[in-house]
Amino acid sequence: MSDHELRVSKIRDGTVIDHIAGGQALNVLAILGVDAASGDTVSVAMDVPSDRLGTKDIVKVEGRELSQDEVDVLSLIAPAATINIVRDFDVVEKHRVESPEEVVGVLSCPNRHCITTGDEPVDTRFDVLGDGIRCQYCETIVREEIADHIVVG
Amino acid sequence: MNHDHIISAKQLSRADIEAVLDRAAEFAADPSAWGDRHENALLGLLFFEPSTRTKMSFTAAIKRLGGDVVDMGTVESSSVKKGESLADTVRVVEGYADALVLRHPSEGSAKMASEFVDAPLINGGDGAGQHPTQTLLDLYTIRENAGFEDLTIGIMGDLKYGRTVHSLAHALTNVDARQHFVSPESLRLPRSVRYDLHEEGASIREHTELDTVLSELDVLYVTRIQRERFPDESEYRAVAGEYQIDTETLEAAKDDLTVMHPLPRVDEIAHDIDGTDHARYFQQAHNGVPVRMALLDILLGGDR
Ligand SMILES: [Zn+2]
């Protein structure tokens, strides 16, 4: 067992998100809505050497098992991420993120003329295309720097 | 046709389109004969930006069907001025009317508004987004003059910002038209529209000069190139001049070429074309009434 696997298995119950591209850990937390205010205990390892990614980030959320729907949004910024569900120090489930059909409420639309950027009681909704995302309201397509459009806090 | 709201021409299938156009043709044959069709029906007009012609055309349509309008008036005189959300406004006004028309400067506004109401809502234009009734009247005019079979159409002018163009181009994929887009390099179709047309398997070609395709066209749809798209007057003049047509230009065209324009025009179609059989742009504008009658008739349950 290598060092980082040891580190990964150290939480008792919860979710470990591994193989996040280096530098994206904080965006992962933002997408998941996990922060100090949410009451979750979170630890982050950044810039861990990785054979696959060069460097990678790892996020551990204690006491909470993230659903497939929650983590699939991560595929937009961390397509190589793996999800480990840990119970009583053992990894009981391990899966990869899959591209969801749509993303609701996580991202803001970059089109300032879009109705979702106004003060309306509506969540943003994006369709996930092969190589980007598209606002269901104004149809603007975002291909690059999707992480820039994450709604934080 | 089974739609609760008309938000985008993209939601309409070929069968939907033909159903609207067939109904419009019935109404157009004798527009004043339908005064008892929807007696007392009320159409709520929510125009958050001025568009006198669209408003007049919808008003004429509902009145021809025996109904009337309830009009929010200008934004300055309404609750919106006090900061009310669009979602609240439509939920209030839906109680006053049997159907709603929304014109709003924000893209996606009609889609969002439709999620908050049960009354049928028609998008009367959402910023640079969709304007489905314009698309339907364009299609009506094309079908009436050139037909949908084996159709070759040229669309010229501002293809980047012209929403009527985007919506029409998408709708024309339903009838497998060959589409030629003629514009200056700086005003070519945006990526999202090309993506869509590509996804639909559309046959499209892009050109910078009309000469290269004019003789093949059954329809030439001209749009205005706006001054504000260019950094200075001289550049605008040089570019815009390349995309103006007159009777001399049309010598190279088919005898039965149909020339269309969403109006208002400035100088992109010379007045000497007005008197020729090519000119169909005023007829196109008039077609807005029977087409809107048809949509309202269908949404108000005319085919019960
Ligand atoms: Zn948008």
Side-chain angles (χ1 to χ4, degrees):
Chain A
M1 191 179 268
S2 75
D3 270 1
H4 85 253
E5 277 175 282
L6 258 178
R7 207 161 40 226
V8 163
S9 57
K10 261 185 190 165
I11 64 172
R12 183 190 180 101
D13 297 295
T15 307
V16 176
I17 305 163
D18 197 359
H19 300 109
I20 299 164
Q24 292 290 343
L26 298 179
N27 286 327
V28 165
L29 295 179
I31 281 190
L32 297 176
V34 181
D35 57 25
S38 70
D40 297 302
T41 304
V42 177
S43 43
V44 176
M46 292 174 99
D47 291 327
V48 180
S50 159
D51 291 344
R52 219 165 1 125
L53 300 169
T55 65
K56 65 174 184 177
D57 293 354
I58 304 169
V59 165
K60 299 177 245 177
V61 184
E62 297 208 45
R64 200 168 132 200
E65 292 183 10
L66 297 168
S67 70
Q68 186 77 37
D69 282 351
E70 278 179 286
V71 297
D72 279 348
V73 181
L74 300 181
S75 67
L76 298 175
I77 59 158
T82 51
I83 311 301
N84 303 276
I85 304 290
V86 180
R87 286 178 205 146
D88 206 13
F89 299 108
D90 280 334
V91 173
V92 293
E93 268 177 51
K94 194 176 183 96
H95 47 95
R96 305 201 113 185
V97 293
E98 286 166 31
S99 201
E101 282 186 8
E102 65 169 4
V103 179
V104 179
V106 173
L107 306 166
S108 65
C109 183
N111 172 9
R112 63 195 169 87
H113 301 296
C114 179
I115 191 71
T116 63
T117 64
D119 202 6
E120 297 290 338
V122 65
D123 283 331
T124 60
R125 303 184 91 90
F126 289 87
D127 288 324
V128 179
L129 313 173
D131 57 348
I133 55 170
R134 167 183 230 155
C135 176
Q136 289 182 16
Y137 290 93
C138 74
E139 306 192 349
T140 295
I141 293 178
V142 185
R143 288 214 169 82
E144 284 106 33
E145 311 293 339
I146 289 172
D148 289 352
H149 305 295
I150 297 168
V151 184
V152 183
Chain B
M1 190 166 99
N2 182 25
H3 297 290
D4 297 332
H5 309 287
I6 303 296
I7 304 305
S8 162
K10 283 186 199 171
Q11 77 188 91
L12 303 175
S13 66
R14 166 115 192 215
D16 291 337
I17 290 167
E18 299 272 9
V20 174
L21 303 193
D22 288 347
R23 188 72 54 92
E26 278 179 61
F27 290 148
D30 190 358
S32 59
W34 308 94
D36 55 3
R37 185 91 170 165
H38 293 286
E39 259 183 320
N40 304 323
L42 289 178
L43 180 63
L45 300 178
L46 297 119
F47 278 61
F48 289 79
E49 60 181 11
S51 177
T52 313
R53 297 236 186 109
T54 304
K55 192 187 248 189
M56 285 174 76
S57 180
F58 270 111
T59 304
I62 191 69
K63 289 191 172 179
R64 289 281 194 201
L65 292 169
D68 207 341
V69 295
V70 280
D71 186 350
M72 178 184 87
T74 60
V75 169
E76 283 66 33
S77 62
S78 72
S79 311
V80 180
K81 189 82 181 168
K82 296 171 195 141
E84 184 173 63
S85 70
L86 175 61
D88 279 5
T89 305
V90 292
R91 278 181 286 188
V92 171
V93 176
E94 123 172 274
Y96 307 158
D98 302 301
L100 304 172
V101 176
L102 175 68
R103 170 95 171 193
H104 194 281
S106 297
E107 291 158 43
S109 51
K111 177 180 162 59
M112 189 213 73
S114 73
E115 293 168 355
F116 289 91
V117 296
D118 293 322
L121 183 144
I122 300 175
N123 184 359
D126 57 346
Q130 304 293 321
H131 193 5
T133 59
Q134 175 74 45
T135 305
L136 285 164
L137 74 87
D138 288 343
L139 292 170
Y140 183 89
T141 309
I142 291 168
R143 191 177 80 164
E144 203 179 22
N145 288 284
F148 287 157
E149 301 315 314
D150 200 28
L151 173 68
T152 302
I153 185 170
I155 303 181
M156 180 168 84
D158 179 352
L159 309 183
K160 184 173 183 183
Y161 301 98
R163 68 166 169 204
T164 46
V165 166
H166 305 160
S167 182
L168 178 61
H170 195 277
L172 285 169
T173 63
N174 281 301
V175 299
D176 299 323
R178 285 179 295 281
Q179 303 190 54
H180 295 274
F181 296 96
V182 184
S183 73
E185 186 62 37
S186 62
L187 294 176
R188 64 190 285 229
L189 283 180
R191 184 166 71 172
S192 63
V193 176
R194 275 181 282 134
Y195 176 89
D196 258 359
L197 296 175
H198 181 74
E199 287 285 289
E200 296 295 328
S203 156
I204 68 168
R205 301 263 306 276
E206 295 181 274
H207 314 265
T208 52
E209 286 169 23
L210 179 61
D211 293 359
T212 43
V213 287
L214 179 60
S215 63
E216 298 170 35
L217 303 180
D218 301 309
V219 175
L220 175 60
Y221 194 106
V222 183
T223 65
R224 178 151 51 115
I225 293 178
Q226 293 182 28
R227 165 70 187 88
E228 56 266 34
R229 307 296 180 213
F230 293 86
D232 64 69
E233 186 71 21
S234 61
E235 196 172 326
Y236 162 69
R237 293 226 160 272
V239 171
E242 302 270 308
Y243 301 92
Q244 291 167 355
I245 58 168
D246 56 21
T247 48
E248 204 182 315
T249 321
L250 296 187
E251 277 167 17
K254 288 185 184 175
D255 289 342
D256 61 353
L257 171 74
T258 295
V259 176
M260 296 171 63
H261 190 297
L263 303 182
R265 67 173 155 177
V266 180
D267 48 12
E268 52 277 13
I269 298 178
H271 289 282
D272 66 356
I273 293 180
D274 296 356
T276 71
D277 288 340
H278 298 303
R280 289 286 180 263
Y281 24 92
F282 294 113
Q283 182 192 358
Q284 180 186 356
H286 300 163
N287 289 338
V289 176
V291 165
R292 291 182 172 107
M293 286 172 77
L295 263 188
L296 288 168
D297 185 55
I298 291 167
L299 289 174
L300 290 168
D303 42 3
R304 267 180 304 202

mmCIF file of all heavy atoms in Angstrom, chain A residues 109 114 116 135 138, ligand 1:
data_model
loop_
_atom_site.group_PDB
_atom_site.id
_atom_site.type_symbol
_atom_site.label_atom_id
_atom_site.label_comp_id
_atom_site.label_asym_id
_atom_site.label_seq_id
_atom_site.Cartn_x
_atom_site.Cartn_y
_atom_site.Cartn_z
ATOM 1 N N CYS A 109 -24.333 31.688 -15.582
ATOM 2 C CA CYS A 109 -24.234 31.886 -17.028
ATOM 3 C C CYS A 109 -23.349 33.098 -17.322
ATOM 4 O O CYS A 109 -23.531 34.158 -16.735
ATOM 5 C CB CYS A 109 -25.628 32.087 -17.621
ATOM 6 S SG CYS A 109 -25.585 32.241 -19.412
ATOM 7 N N CYS A 114 -28.475 37.180 -19.980
ATOM 8 C CA CYS A 114 -29.291 35.990 -19.699
ATOM 9 C C CYS A 114 -30.210 36.259 -18.510
ATOM 10 O O CYS A 114 -29.805 36.846 -17.518
ATOM 11 C CB CYS A 114 -28.382 34.793 -19.392
ATOM 12 S SG CYS A 114 -29.298 33.289 -19.001
ATOM 13 N N THR A 116 -31.157 34.389 -16.254
ATOM 14 C CA THR A 116 -30.713 33.769 -14.995
ATOM 15 C C THR A 116 -29.737 34.647 -14.217
ATOM 16 O O THR A 116 -29.486 34.398 -13.048
ATOM 17 C CB THR A 116 -30.032 32.399 -15.234
ATOM 18 O OG1 THR A 116 -28.853 32.603 -16.010
ATOM 19 C CG2 THR A 116 -30.961 31.430 -15.945
ATOM 20 N N CYS A 135 -26.256 26.850 -21.764
ATOM 21 C CA CYS A 135 -27.339 27.383 -20.933
ATOM 22 C C CYS A 135 -28.686 27.033 -21.565
ATOM 23 O O CYS A 135 -28.908 27.281 -22.746
ATOM 24 C CB CYS A 135 -27.198 28.895 -20.807
ATOM 25 S SG CYS A 135 -28.556 29.670 -19.905
ATOM 26 N N CYS A 138 -30.540 30.857 -22.316
ATOM 27 C CA CYS A 138 -30.101 31.757 -23.393
ATOM 28 C C CYS A 138 -29.294 31.028 -24.458
ATOM 29 O O CYS A 138 -28.922 31.627 -25.461
ATOM 30 C CB CYS A 138 -29.302 32.916 -22.816
ATOM 31 S SG CYS A 138 -27.647 32.444 -22.272
HETATM 32 ZN ZN ZN C 1 -27.778 31.825 -20.025
#
